[in-house]
Amino acid sequence: MKVLLLGSGGRECAIAWKLVQSPKCNQLFIAPGNAGTSAYGQNVAIKVNEFDKIADFCKQEQIDLIVVGPEDPLVNGIVDYFEQIPNAPKVIGPSKAAAQLEGSKDFAKGFMTRHQVPTARYRSFTAAEYDEACSFLEELQAPYVLKADGLAAGKGVLILPTLDEAKKELKEMLGGMFGAASATVVIEEFMSGIECSVFVLTDGNGHYKILPVAKDYKRIGEGDTGLNTGGMGNCSPVPFADEVFMQKVEERIVRPTIEGLKAEGLKYKGFIFLGLIRMDRDIQHYHAGDPMVIEYNVRMGDPETEVVMPRIQSDLLDLLEGVAEGNLDEKSLEIDPRTAVTVVLVSGGYPGSYEKGKVMTGLDNALFTQGVVAPAQNAEKSILFHAGTALNANGETVTAGGRVICVTSYGDDRNAALAQSMRGAEIIRFDGKYYRHDIGQDLNKF
Ligand code: AMP
Ligand code: GLY
């Protein structure tokens, strides 16, 4: 098969690494890719939302399958776009209508309510309903959760400690703080507990596979302090997502979601990302220990993918073929029992402003695998998944983003995997490098 992967982050680097291990993968292109993805395939200078250019390229190269990394092209309808083209490649992802699960928080909450998927009580409001929205806030307990309905580059959720602050921020949001994305604001009850990320692959035919569970570390500072980022690290598996918990996730969340999509005629062949919380107290008729949904995303997580892909032993392309053809039930999913930890090295100043173009060294150290090496042979080595990197005119790898590179390691336990990623994180050098040393450490209490 000839495959085109869309995106340019650490997630796409990890998917590329995994795809080219498949004997079914004859050729891989990544659009636009980064300095890391070029080790696994050919980067193509096309942006993820340039559908016409993507279609021309697919025709020219006779691409069989398109794998979409980020949410933007999905929410913009790339699946529907290619469905209208005769002999077009199959696209892994939800239809535009189904991508509303991520594209509109109001739609996602309505969907969960219709299908009894456990989630926080909520209501949605527009600017004309400000007074009503304030009355609803008064019914809730602090802290207050406000969400821009539309995509806001991961910044559209505010959690406010007091009613006064919540009312003030609500006014700003409805007044255009996030542009059109916050013309509607979802207000919901606060859920208290610990979060994890569950990924489901579905073929739109009622079949699904639950991929390894991961835990994201979103804050910039150690001990989960400071500003929110795109993700500073991840680990998989997650000890509290044990068999009992996952059974509840499957029965109460995964199945109703898959059945709900079908019942509403929402075409979905792709990855579903469930942002879950394991409650630490009772809320509504849910109990401490139960899973509830914070949000749906219609793609893989980043940097979750950098630990999920390394733990999938089966052929990813074979699984995706099952997704495209609607026979995922005939495919097998084997999981590596080892723990994987990834640590993200970021540019100094991130998630605020930072400089780019810093020359990176240490990437060719013997501690890191070079090129594609199957997971079983990775035992002693770390894998580098590039995120914001580029090649400069001299052919040197330089920083080109806030999140620069992810160091993923395997271990018999979290501490061993983290220790190895720490060694790798030290060896890589660039001006302003910063990373967290405590990824996965909060899980030691479970
Ligand atoms: P984002 O990933 O930008 O949508 O941020 C959402 C984050 O806000 C989640 O990962 C949670 O940490 C937090 N959050 C969202 N909704 C709630 C809620 N109802 N209760 C508690 N925390 C929430
Ligand atoms: N790491 C969280 C996300 O991808 O949205």
Side-chain angles (χ1 to χ4, degrees), residues 105 120 145 147 154-157 159 188-192 195 218 228 277 294-295:
K105 304 261 186 219
V145 183
K147 299 183 172 185
K155 297 194 169 68
V157 177
I159 300 183
E188 67 177 37
E189 206 169 9
F190 182 79
M191 296 182 281
S192 169
E195 294 176 39
K218 289 184 206 274
N228 247 331
I277 190 157
I294 295 174
E295 62 179 358

mmCIF file of all heavy atoms in Angstrom, residues 105 120 145 147 154-157 159 188-192 195 218 228 277 294-295, ligand 1:
data_model
loop_
_atom_site.group_PDB
_atom_site.id
_atom_site.type_symbol
_atom_site.label_atom_id
_atom_site.label_comp_id
_atom_site.label_asym_id
_atom_site.label_seq_id
_atom_site.Cartn_x
_atom_site.Cartn_y
_atom_site.Cartn_z
ATOM 1 N N LYS A 105 -18.096 21.632 21.376
ATOM 2 C CA LYS A 105 -18.296 21.061 22.720
ATOM 3 C C LYS A 105 -19.794 20.888 22.987
ATOM 4 O O LYS A 105 -20.196 19.945 23.659
ATOM 5 C CB LYS A 105 -17.712 21.979 23.789
ATOM 6 C CG LYS A 105 -16.245 22.312 23.588
ATOM 7 C CD LYS A 105 -15.350 21.465 24.450
ATOM 8 C CE LYS A 105 -13.909 21.910 24.349
ATOM 9 N NZ LYS A 105 -12.945 20.842 24.328
ATOM 10 N N ALA A 120 -20.222 15.515 32.895
ATOM 11 C CA ALA A 120 -20.677 16.549 33.825
ATOM 12 C C ALA A 120 -21.958 17.221 33.320
ATOM 13 O O ALA A 120 -22.132 17.399 32.114
ATOM 14 C CB ALA A 120 -19.582 17.603 33.984
ATOM 15 N N VAL A 145 -16.437 25.766 35.397
ATOM 16 C CA VAL A 145 -15.796 25.342 34.142
ATOM 17 C C VAL A 145 -16.507 26.004 32.962
ATOM 18 O O VAL A 145 -17.709 25.811 32.764
ATOM 19 C CB VAL A 145 -15.859 23.799 33.985
ATOM 20 C CG1 VAL A 145 -15.127 23.356 32.720
ATOM 21 C CG2 VAL A 145 -15.288 23.103 35.218
ATOM 22 N N LYS A 147 -16.276 26.578 28.745
ATOM 23 C CA LYS A 147 -15.626 26.054 27.544
ATOM 24 C C LYS A 147 -16.127 26.752 26.294
ATOM 25 O O LYS A 147 -17.348 26.791 26.057
ATOM 26 C CB LYS A 147 -15.915 24.554 27.396
ATOM 27 C CG LYS A 147 -15.395 23.731 28.560
ATOM 28 C CD LYS A 147 -15.637 22.249 28.356
ATOM 29 C CE LYS A 147 -14.914 21.474 29.457
ATOM 30 N NZ LYS A 147 -14.995 20.025 29.277
ATOM 31 N N GLY A 154 -6.669 24.467 21.767
ATOM 32 C CA GLY A 154 -6.407 23.884 23.084
ATOM 33 C C GLY A 154 -6.475 24.871 24.232
ATOM 34 O O GLY A 154 -6.151 24.546 25.365
ATOM 35 N N LYS A 155 -6.912 26.118 23.956
ATOM 36 C CA LYS A 155 -6.904 27.141 25.014
ATOM 37 C C LYS A 155 -8.310 27.526 25.466
ATOM 38 O O LYS A 155 -8.485 28.401 26.303
ATOM 39 C CB LYS A 155 -6.183 28.396 24.501
ATOM 40 C CG LYS A 155 -4.724 28.144 24.169
ATOM 41 C CD LYS A 155 -3.970 29.458 24.009
ATOM 42 C CE LYS A 155 -2.482 29.248 23.943
ATOM 43 N NZ LYS A 155 -2.029 28.561 22.735
ATOM 44 N N GLY A 156 -9.325 26.884 24.923
ATOM 45 C CA GLY A 156 -10.704 27.330 25.129
ATOM 46 C C GLY A 156 -11.381 26.905 26.414
ATOM 47 O O GLY A 156 -12.575 27.148 26.568
ATOM 48 N N VAL A 157 -10.644 26.269 27.343
ATOM 49 C CA VAL A 157 -11.269 25.841 28.602
ATOM 50 C C VAL A 157 -10.734 26.687 29.749
ATOM 51 O O VAL A 157 -9.522 26.782 29.940
ATOM 52 C CB VAL A 157 -10.986 24.347 28.885
ATOM 53 C CG1 VAL A 157 -11.569 23.928 30.227
ATOM 54 C CG2 VAL A 157 -11.544 23.473 27.772
ATOM 55 N N ILE A 159 -11.037 27.369 33.970
ATOM 56 C CA ILE A 159 -11.555 26.873 35.253
ATOM 57 C C ILE A 159 -11.328 27.978 36.281
ATOM 58 O O ILE A 159 -10.184 28.356 36.537
ATOM 59 C CB ILE A 159 -10.878 25.534 35.632
ATOM 60 C CG1 ILE A 159 -11.186 24.521 34.517
ATOM 61 C CG2 ILE A 159 -11.368 25.038 36.994
ATOM 62 C CD1 ILE A 159 -10.677 23.132 34.729
ATOM 63 N N GLU A 188 -20.142 23.915 32.610
ATOM 64 C CA GLU A 188 -20.422 22.595 33.178
ATOM 65 C C GLU A 188 -19.924 22.443 34.594
ATOM 66 O O GLU A 188 -19.104 23.216 35.083
ATOM 67 C CB GLU A 188 -19.906 21.475 32.262
ATOM 68 C CG GLU A 188 -18.423 21.395 32.125
ATOM 69 C CD GLU A 188 -17.980 20.219 31.259
ATOM 70 O OE1 GLU A 188 -18.653 19.894 30.270
ATOM 71 O OE2 GLU A 188 -16.942 19.636 31.585
ATOM 72 N N GLU A 189 -20.449 21.435 35.227
ATOM 73 C CA GLU A 189 -20.085 21.090 36.587
ATOM 74 C C GLU A 189 -18.624 20.644 36.624
ATOM 75 O O GLU A 189 -18.156 19.997 35.689
ATOM 76 C CB GLU A 189 -20.982 19.903 36.975
ATOM 77 C CG GLU A 189 -21.244 19.749 38.401
ATOM 78 C CD GLU A 189 -22.365 18.712 38.633
ATOM 79 O OE1 GLU A 189 -22.797 18.025 37.688
ATOM 80 O OE2 GLU A 189 -22.787 18.615 39.781
ATOM 81 N N PHE A 190 -17.934 20.960 37.697
ATOM 82 C CA PHE A 190 -16.540 20.541 37.848
ATOM 83 C C PHE A 190 -16.481 19.088 38.295
ATOM 84 O O PHE A 190 -17.235 18.669 39.174
ATOM 85 C CB PHE A 190 -15.843 21.433 38.879
ATOM 86 C CG PHE A 190 -14.394 21.107 39.071
ATOM 87 C CD1 PHE A 190 -13.444 21.537 38.162
ATOM 88 C CD2 PHE A 190 -13.980 20.348 40.180
ATOM 89 C CE1 PHE A 190 -12.090 21.234 38.338
ATOM 90 C CE2 PHE A 190 -12.635 20.040 40.358
ATOM 91 C CZ PHE A 190 -11.696 20.479 39.443
ATOM 92 N N MET A 191 -15.586 18.325 37.658
ATOM 93 C CA MET A 191 -15.392 16.922 38.055
ATOM 94 C C MET A 191 -14.022 16.808 38.707
ATOM 95 O O MET A 191 -13.032 17.276 38.141
ATOM 96 C CB MET A 191 -15.454 15.999 36.835
ATOM 97 C CG MET A 191 -16.812 15.999 36.165
ATOM 98 S SD MET A 191 -16.903 14.868 34.755
ATOM 99 C CE MET A 191 -16.081 15.822 33.498
ATOM 100 N N SER A 192 -13.975 16.171 39.852
ATOM 101 C CA SER A 192 -12.714 16.082 40.576
ATOM 102 C C SER A 192 -12.192 14.646 40.517
ATOM 103 O O SER A 192 -12.930 13.705 40.793
ATOM 104 C CB SER A 192 -12.984 16.509 42.025
ATOM 105 O OG SER A 192 -11.883 16.223 42.819
ATOM 106 N N GLU A 195 -7.015 12.098 35.625
ATOM 107 C CA GLU A 195 -7.376 11.930 34.205
ATOM 108 C C GLU A 195 -6.552 10.867 33.500
ATOM 109 O O GLU A 195 -5.409 10.591 33.878
ATOM 110 C CB GLU A 195 -7.162 13.265 33.477
ATOM 111 C CG GLU A 195 -8.115 14.336 33.945
ATOM 112 C CD GLU A 195 -7.846 15.675 33.295
ATOM 113 O OE1 GLU A 195 -7.525 15.721 32.095
ATOM 114 O OE2 GLU A 195 -7.963 16.693 34.011
ATOM 115 N N LYS A 218 0.081 17.718 31.340
ATOM 116 C CA LYS A 218 -0.183 18.912 30.530
ATOM 117 C C LYS A 218 0.509 20.171 31.032
ATOM 118 O O LYS A 218 0.728 21.088 30.261
ATOM 119 C CB LYS A 218 -1.687 19.203 30.536
ATOM 120 C CG LYS A 218 -2.525 18.223 29.749
ATOM 121 C CD LYS A 218 -3.984 18.677 29.762
ATOM 122 C CE LYS A 218 -4.946 17.551 29.589
ATOM 123 N NZ LYS A 218 -5.258 17.171 28.259
ATOM 124 N N ASN A 228 -0.801 25.547 31.259
ATOM 125 C CA ASN A 228 -1.121 24.393 30.425
ATOM 126 C C ASN A 228 -0.283 24.418 29.154
ATOM 127 O O ASN A 228 -0.014 25.478 28.609
ATOM 128 C CB ASN A 228 -2.590 24.455 30.027
ATOM 129 C CG ASN A 228 -3.375 23.334 30.656
ATOM 130 O OD1 ASN A 228 -2.850 22.247 30.920
ATOM 131 N ND2 ASN A 228 -4.640 23.572 30.895
ATOM 132 N N ILE A 277 -11.986 11.026 33.185
ATOM 133 C CA ILE A 277 -11.569 11.315 34.555
ATOM 134 C C ILE A 277 -12.077 10.183 35.440
ATOM 135 O O ILE A 277 -13.194 9.691 35.245
ATOM 136 C CB ILE A 277 -12.079 12.709 34.999
ATOM 137 C CG1 ILE A 277 -11.457 13.141 36.309
ATOM 138 C CG2 ILE A 277 -13.596 12.779 35.057
ATOM 139 C CD1 ILE A 277 -11.471 14.650 36.485
ATOM 140 N N ILE A 294 -14.582 13.792 29.983
ATOM 141 C CA ILE A 294 -14.328 15.234 29.959
ATOM 142 C C ILE A 294 -14.562 15.743 28.551
ATOM 143 O O ILE A 294 -15.209 16.742 28.328
ATOM 144 C CB ILE A 294 -12.882 15.549 30.393
ATOM 145 C CG1 ILE A 294 -12.676 15.153 31.840
ATOM 146 C CG2 ILE A 294 -12.587 17.034 30.200
ATOM 147 C CD1 ILE A 294 -11.252 15.296 32.306
ATOM 148 N N GLU A 295 -14.000 15.022 27.594
ATOM 149 C CA GLU A 295 -14.150 15.473 26.208
ATOM 150 C C GLU A 295 -13.857 14.328 25.238
ATOM 151 O O GLU A 295 -13.198 13.349 25.587
ATOM 152 C CB GLU A 295 -13.197 16.627 25.914
ATOM 153 C CG GLU A 295 -11.743 16.225 26.058
ATOM 154 C CD GLU A 295 -10.757 17.335 25.743
ATOM 155 O OE1 GLU A 295 -11.174 18.436 25.371
ATOM 156 O OE2 GLU A 295 -9.554 17.079 25.862
HETATM 157 P P1 AMP B 1 -8.502 20.863 26.933
HETATM 158 O O1 AMP B 1 -7.695 19.607 26.791
HETATM 159 O O2 AMP B 1 -7.849 22.116 26.538
HETATM 160 O O3 AMP B 1 -9.933 20.731 26.439
HETATM 161 O O4 AMP B 1 -8.588 21.101 28.496
HETATM 162 C C1 AMP B 1 -9.476 20.439 29.178
HETATM 163 C C2 AMP B 1 -8.919 20.245 30.527
HETATM 164 O O5 AMP B 1 -9.688 21.001 31.439
HETATM 165 C C3 AMP B 1 -9.084 18.800 30.924
HETATM 166 O O6 AMP B 1 -7.975 18.028 30.616
HETATM 167 C C4 AMP B 1 -9.355 18.900 32.398
HETATM 168 O O7 AMP B 1 -8.122 18.967 33.097
HETATM 169 C C5 AMP B 1 -10.031 20.225 32.550
HETATM 170 N N1 AMP B 1 -11.498 20.085 32.575
HETATM 171 C C6 AMP B 1 -12.342 20.216 31.543
HETATM 172 N N2 AMP B 1 -13.619 20.030 31.915
HETATM 173 C C7 AMP B 1 -13.602 19.766 33.225
HETATM 174 C C8 AMP B 1 -14.613 19.497 34.209
HETATM 175 N N3 AMP B 1 -15.905 19.487 33.914
HETATM 176 N N4 AMP B 1 -14.199 19.262 35.451
HETATM 177 C C9 AMP B 1 -12.888 19.296 35.778
HETATM 178 N N5 AMP B 1 -11.900 19.549 34.910
HETATM 179 C C10 AMP B 1 -12.244 19.788 33.642
#
